[in-house]
Amino acid sequence: MKVLIADDDPQLVRALRITLAAHGYEVVAAADGAAAITLAAQTNPDLVLLDLGMPRLDGIEVIEALRGWTQAPIIVISGRVGSADKVEALDAGADDYVTKPFDDIADLPVMIEKRLRNRRLRAENRALMEELRIKNE
């Protein structure tokens, strides 16, 4: 499974890369919003970890761009703690919102697996519903 990390903090990206690689994830990283969109188009990640406050394009713009063509789960990781920021990100299409600094970075792989599992289940349910629809025609 491939995870795109989009964050302009190289220390956080390094820590996330190490943590996720230890759990078997392939990690690609972008340091700004425009690079995140380009890298997502090139690599088709299974999940995106996205900071809101990045150069070139902010996280909300990245969410809106990604939602134009992918349903990959997007987990926002941001230092912004206001409820308005969280609501804006979720309304734009993010699936979850985690504030920095993390209480425990080791919890993040669990959250990622939960989002990926939910995505797989939704896809399986859609396929079953389509199969039932075809049988009933």
Side-chain angles (χ1 to χ4, degrees):
M1 292 286 176
K2 188 179 303 171
V3 175
L4 167 60
I5 301 170
D7 198 301
D8 60 339
D9 178 348
Q11 291 178 338
L12 177 62
V13 170
R14 183 175 184 278
L16 290 171
R17 185 184 295 274
I18 290 167
T19 300
L20 296 178
H23 284 85
Y25 292 102
E26 178 184 347
V27 177
V28 293
D32 66 63
I37 293 169
T38 300
L39 194 55
Q42 292 171 346
T43 64
N44 195 25
D46 297 291
L47 183 133
V48 177
L49 296 175
L50 176 68
D51 184 21
L52 292 182
M54 290 186 298
R56 296 184 62 197
L57 292 174
D58 74 13
I60 299 299
E61 293 170 305
V62 174
I63 294 168
E64 291 169 346
L66 293 177
R67 282 297 173 243
W69 59 272
T70 182
Q71 291 303 309
I74 299 171
I75 299 174
V76 171
I77 49 173
S78 180
R80 299 179 187 175
V81 297
S83 61
D85 293 313
K86 183 174 185 177
V87 168
E88 183 180 19
L90 294 172
D91 282 348
D95 295 284
D96 214 335
Y97 193 102
V98 179
T99 56
K100 297 187 272 187
F102 301 112
D103 290 332
D104 187 357
I105 199 168
D107 292 341
L108 198 55
V110 174
M111 180 182 290
I112 289 170
E113 184 52 40
K114 176 183 170 193
R115 286 291 167 199
L116 292 173
R117 184 175 55 247
N118 288 346
R119 179 180 176 208
R120 284 189 299 269
L121 289 173
R122 282 194 309 270
E124 289 171 9
N125 285 341
R126 279 193 301 272
L128 287 172
M129 294 302 288
E130 180 63 18
E131 186 178 318
L132 289 172
R133 186 189 64 76
I134 290 171
K135 285 182 180 179
N136 289 328
E137 289 182 347

